Every structure is written in structure tokens, then in C-alpha cells.
């Protein structure tokens, strides 16, 4: 009898979400998943993909192809967690594992996220310097103030719409890659046939690629974005369409960034040491205006990603602490949440104005994300697999497989990186 009841509940749960989507439903489903995909290609991501293309050519495009379904699987788990439990990831980690586990897990996400905010601010300021000639230090604070105002004082629905329009900035790289006329047979071969190497550039690039693609802060952002949308289990299919669109767009763009830099920089043995070096990948499409197009793309990507980084950090801390939170709330109703956002911006500004190499800061922030990601992926996998938490919406075998593959691939890259650092040290 118990088994029959369980099967009936499972069938009922499937029927709840087995709704055919019309064309209008697909358009209306755009939301947190699109923003997640767009924010995944922040200035740190653009720089990391550019460096990978410039140093290893097309050799790691297979890894990006592998990362695409596993990224979808992990983000879909987070969306399902939010829509089923009506809760955010920080709160779920606290209620499932206790603060002893949840607090260090959240700190593992928050610390590199704030570092990435600083690196992204620095990249935006450096891009603004390319456009205007004004020293980057003078634009760090204005950029941070603008984004802090948008994040704290504007309505979430307005913010989300503004964010979604910015994901189109990076389409320039697709045109640039096509006009660069790469060896498409070599590109295809590298994409479908794994090419392994234990060179320092390859190993660091692999960890950075995985860290910027399956980046930890997106896990927290997605759960809270779904909670803000209040879609519920009746709209799980809409959430999946939204996530798939965001992931595919994000990784297609990343792929063409790598192809463009591989075809223009790697083949000429050029290295990326400054923002101007990275901009050269856009010369096939923009010519003398490549620097301008690159700078606008970096600034647009930063305007999209930095508020997401700040909000994700505040969501995570508020969830563990049990504070009221949400971008849809008035700051007076969730003061601690918005104080954390403000503090994240302050720390990011301090990091941005310190004397660090902008390109190295951007790249190594993603390496750090790659080292941390497996821990959070495993915790998400455990919660999403729990029938006590998720009931009949717990992970199926495919979801578990995608989560396990995501964790194992990143761990393998991290181990290779640890061996590289132990034997050869950090790159010059």
C-alpha cells in the first residue's frame, strides 16, 4: 500500500509539471536562468576564456562542451530546490546540515565572489581608461556607487529587466570568431575529441575554465532568483527552458571567445598582459574600433555581473544567519541583507584600488572559484537528492550523474593543479 501511495504521489508530481509550453510561455519563461547565464560571462570570465584561447588555442574547447550539460544540471537542481522548498540555498544548507557546515560553505562562496567583484571593478575601470584615457583609479568608485545604487534602491523587477538586456553585449565575439577564419576542422576536432596536457598553461586554464563556467555564486543566485520569481513547482518546465537558454547562450559565447582569441592571438604566439592585448581578438570584426568594442563589452558584462555577485553573497549570508532578505524587499525591511551588499561593494573597491595586476587578478579569481566549486556542488547534490527535503521532486539518476560528473571533473583538474604548483610553482 505504501509503495502504491508513493507511486501515486510521484505520478501526481509529474503531472503537475507535465505541461506543454506555448511560444508565449517560452518567451515569458525568461528570468533568473538568463541572468545566471549572462552573469557567468562577467569580465573575469571573458578574460579567463581569452587567456585560455591565447595560451592553448582550441585545445580546451572539449572541456567547455563537457561543462555545458553539467552546468545545466547543477543550475537546474538549484532552481528545483527553490521552487519545491520555497527557500534559498543558504537557508537550506543551514536547515539541512546545520550552521557548522553551512557557515564555512557560504564563506567558501562569498570570499572568492567579493574578490571577483574587485577584479571585475578593476576590469571595468581599465576598460573605461581605454575609452577615455582617464586613469582607472578615478572610475572605480563611480562604477561601484552606480551598481550599489541599482542593487539596493531599485525594484528587483526593474533590475532583472535591465540585467537581461545586457547579455547581448558579448555577441560581438561570435562575429569576430567567424571573421577570423579559424581552421574549423581543428576547432571541431578539439571540441569533440579531448586533448589532454599537463603543461602549466593547460592545467591552470582548465581550472579557471571550470571555475568561471560552473562558478559557485551562481548556485546561490539561481535559488534566490527563483524564490523572487515565485514560480513554484507548476512552472518547473518554464524554469528549465529559462536555465537552458541562459546556459547555452553563456557557453556558446565562451566558445567563440576562445575561438576568436585562438585564431587571432594563439596562432601568432601573442600573450594577454593588458586589456589592450585582449581587445585584439575583436580586430577582425571591429578593426581600429576593437578596443572600443572590447571596452564596452567589459563594462556591460560588469554591470550585469557585479550586482549578481553582491546579491548572491548577501543572500547566502542572510540565509545562514536567518535574516530577512530579498531584492524585492525595501531596505528598511531587510537592513542586514542590504548592509552585507554595501560591505561587499566597499571591500571590492578596496581590492580594486590596491596595486594588483588587473589581468592576473581576473584570471586567478576564477582559478580560486575552480578550487572551491566541488564542495558546494556536493552539498547541493546531497540536498537535491534528499527525499526528506524534496519529496517526489528529488533528483533522478540523470541529475545525480550530472552533479557527480561536475564535481569529479573539477576535482581532477584541481588535483592536477596542486601537482603543478607543488612541482613548478605559480606561473610567472
Amino acid at each position: 500500500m505504501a509503495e502504491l501511495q508513493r507511486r501515486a504521489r510521484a505520478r501526481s508530481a509529474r503531472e503537475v509539471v507535465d505541461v506543454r509550453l506555448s511560444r508565449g510561455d517560452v518567451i515569458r519563461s525568461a528570468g533568473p536562468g538568463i541572468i545566471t547565464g549572462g552573469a557567468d560571462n562577467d569580465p573575469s570570465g571573458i578574460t579567463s576564456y581569452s587567456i585560455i584561447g591565447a595560451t592553448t588555442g582550441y585545445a580546451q574547447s572539449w572541456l567547455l562542451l563537457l561543462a555545458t550539460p553539467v552546468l545545466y544540471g547543477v543550475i537546474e537542481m538549484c532552481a528545483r530546490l527553490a521552487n519545491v522548498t520555497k527557500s534559498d540555498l543558504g537557508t537550506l544548507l543551514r536547515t539541512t546540515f546545520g550552521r557548522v557546515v553551512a557557515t564555512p560553505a557560504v564563506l567558501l562562496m562569498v570570499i572568492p565572489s567579493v574578490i571577483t567583484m574587485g577584479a571585475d571593478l578593476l576590469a571595468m575601470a581599465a576598460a573605461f581608461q581605454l575609452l577615455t584615457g582617464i586613469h582607472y583609479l578615478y572610475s572605480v568608485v563611480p562604477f561601484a556607487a552606480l551598481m550599489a545604487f541599482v542593487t539596493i534602491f531599485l525594484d528587483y523587477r526593474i533590475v532583472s529587466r535591465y540585467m537581461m538586456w545586457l547579455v547581448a553585449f558579448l555577441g560581438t565575439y561570435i562575429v569576430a570568431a567567424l571573421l577570423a577564419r579559424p581552421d574549423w576542422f581543428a576547432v571541431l576536432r578539439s571540441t569533440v575529441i579531448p586533448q589532454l596536457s599537463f603543461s602549466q598553461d593547460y592545467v591552470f586554464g582548465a581550472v579557471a575554465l571550470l571555475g568561471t563556467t560552473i562558478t559557485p555564486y551562481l548556485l546561490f543566485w539561481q535559488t534566490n532568483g527563483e524564490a523572487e520569481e515565485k514560480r513554484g513547482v507548476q512552472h518547473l518546465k518554464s524554469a528549465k527552458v529559462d536555465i537552458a537558454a541562459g546556459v547555452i547562450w553563456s557557453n556558446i559565447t565562451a566558445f567563440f571567445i576562445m575561438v576568436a582569441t585562438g585564431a587571432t592571438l594563439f596562432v601568432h604566439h601573442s600573450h594577454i598582459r593588458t586589456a589592450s592585448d585582449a581587445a585584439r581578438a575583436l580586430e577582425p570584426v571591429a578593426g581600429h574600433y576593437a578596443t572600443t568594442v572590447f571596452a564596452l563589452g567589459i563594462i556591460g558584462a560588469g554591470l550585469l555581473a557585479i550586482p549578481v555577485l553582491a546579491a548572491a553573497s548577501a543572500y547566502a549570508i542572510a540565509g545562514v544567519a536567518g535574516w530577512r532578505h530579498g531584492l524585492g524587499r525595501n531596505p528598511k525591511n531587510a537592513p542586514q541583507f542590504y548592509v552585507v551588499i554595501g560591505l561587499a561593494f566597499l571591500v571590492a573597491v578596496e581590492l580594486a584600488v590596491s596595486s594588483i595586476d588587473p589581468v592576473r587578478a581576473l584570471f586567478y579569481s576564477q582559478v580560486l572559484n575552480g578550487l572551491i566549486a566541488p564542495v558546494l556542488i556536493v552539498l547541493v547534490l546531497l540536498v537535491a537528492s534528499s527525499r526528506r527535503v524534496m519529496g517526489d521532486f528529488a533528483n533522478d539518476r540523470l541529475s545525480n550523474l550530472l552533479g557527480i560528473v561536475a564535481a569529479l571533473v573539477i576535482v581532477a583538474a584541481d588535483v592536477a593543479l596542486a601537482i603543478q604548483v607543488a612541482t613548478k610553482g605559480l606561473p610567472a
Side-chain angles (χ1 to χ4, degrees):
M1 178 64 70
E3 178 63 17
L4 289 175
Q5 291 175 340
R6 187 193 68 78
R7 291 180 180 178
R9 287 196 305 271
R11 186 168 56 252
S12 176
R14 287 193 298 271
E15 289 169 355
V16 167
V17 299
D18 188 21
V19 180
R20 297 183 67 179
L21 296 178
S22 68
R23 184 180 304 174
D25 292 330
V26 171
I27 295 172
R28 286 190 294 272
S29 68
I34 294 288
I35 298 172
T36 296
D40 205 13
N41 284 337
D42 64 344
S44 296
I46 295 169
T47 302
S48 297
Y49 293 129
S50 297
I51 292 174
I52 292 164
T55 55
T56 65
Y58 319 128
Q60 297 200 39
S61 53
W62 71 271
L63 193 56
L64 186 63
L65 179 64
L66 175 63
T68 301
V70 298
L71 173 62
Y72 169 81
V74 172
I75 297 299
E76 187 276 331
M77 270 189 260
C78 293
R80 188 158 26 91
L81 280 172
N83 285 314
V84 171
T85 67
K86 308 296 189 295
S87 188
D88 60 277
L89 186 54
T91 300
L92 284 170
L93 292 179
R94 170 171 56 85
T95 56
T96 304
F97 303 107
R99 283 194 173 93
V100 174
V101 173
T103 301
V106 162
L107 291 177
L108 283 175
M109 184 278 293
V110 170
I111 291 172
S113 293
V114 175
I115 292 172
T116 301
M117 285 179 65
D120 285 353
L121 267 175
L122 186 58
M124 292 176 69
F128 192 68
Q129 181 174 333
L130 289 177
L131 289 175
T132 64
I134 298 173
H135 194 277
Y136 70 90
L137 287 178
Y138 295 112
S139 56
V140 167
V141 173
F143 273 129
L146 170 65
M147 288 181 287
F149 175 82
V150 168
T151 309
I152 294 172
F153 294 107
L154 293 187
D155 183 84
Y156 171 74
R157 289 166 293 182
I158 297 174
V159 174
S160 64
R161 283 197 290 269
Y162 129 82
M163 286 177 174
M164 283 190 283
W165 279 108
L166 293 174
V167 301
F169 266 102
L170 300 179
T172 313
Y173 278 98
I174 299 175
V175 181
L178 295 173
L179 293 180
R181 297 183 179 179
D183 181 347
W184 287 108
F185 178 76
V187 173
L188 179 61
R189 182 180 58 205
S190 297
T191 303
V192 299
I193 302 175
Q195 298 183 34
L196 296 176
S197 170
F198 291 98
S199 70
Q200 201 169 49
D201 285 340
Y202 189 97
V203 172
F204 270 86
V207 176
L209 184 150
L210 293 168
T212 197
T213 304
I214 313 174
T215 192
Y217 74 86
L218 295 180
L219 311 185
F220 289 86
W221 169 260
Q222 186 68 40
T223 57
N224 286 282
E226 293 292 340
E228 295 274 5
E229 289 287 323
K230 297 180 173 63
R231 290 200 272 209
V233 295
Q234 295 88 350
H235 297 93
L236 283 178
K237 275 196 173 182
S238 296
K240 289 180 179 181
V241 171
D242 178 33
I243 293 163
V247 167
I248 291 170
W249 168 249
S250 172
N251 283 13
I252 284 177
T253 306
F255 172 78
F256 281 105
I257 292 173
M258 291 167 60
V259 171
T261 51
T264 56
L265 301 180
F266 177 74
V267 296
H268 295 112
H269 307 288
S270 301
H271 295 283
I272 296 178
R273 294 187 174 87
T274 66
S276 296
D277 294 334
R280 289 172 55 196
L282 291 175
E283 287 181 353
V285 64
H288 295 300
Y289 297 100
T291 297
T292 300
V293 174
F294 173 80
L296 291 174
I298 287 290
I299 292 171
L303 289 172
L304 169 63
I306 292 176
V308 172
L309 282 156
S313 299
Y315 276 129
I317 292 174
V320 169
W323 299 333
R324 283 180 295 182
H325 55 279
L327 290 176
R329 290 181 179 273
N330 187 289
K332 293 181 181 179
N333 295 326
Q336 299 101 324
F337 172 74
Y338 284 103
V339 165
V340 173
I341 290 178
L343 289 174
F345 274 103
L346 288 175
V347 175
V349 167
E350 180 63 29
L351 291 171
V353 300
S354 62
S355 54
I356 55 177
D357 182 337
V359 173
R360 288 172 68 89
L362 290 163
F363 183 72
Y364 282 110
S365 66
Q366 302 315 295
V367 172
L368 181 58
N369 275 327
L371 295 172
I372 289 164
V375 176
L376 292 171
I377 291 172
V378 168
L379 291 176
V380 168
L381 189 60
L382 291 173
V383 178
S385 300
S386 170
R387 284 198 164 271
R388 181 178 63 83
V389 176
M390 298 292 288
D392 294 322
F393 293 96
N395 278 356
D396 56 19
R397 291 180 181 178
L398 178 59
S399 295
N400 283 330
L401 177 62
L402 291 174
I404 292 169
V405 169
L408 290 179
V409 168
I410 303 176
V411 167
D414 291 345
V415 170
L417 177 64
I419 294 171
Q420 280 283 345
V421 172
T423 57
K424 299 181 180 179
L426 293 173

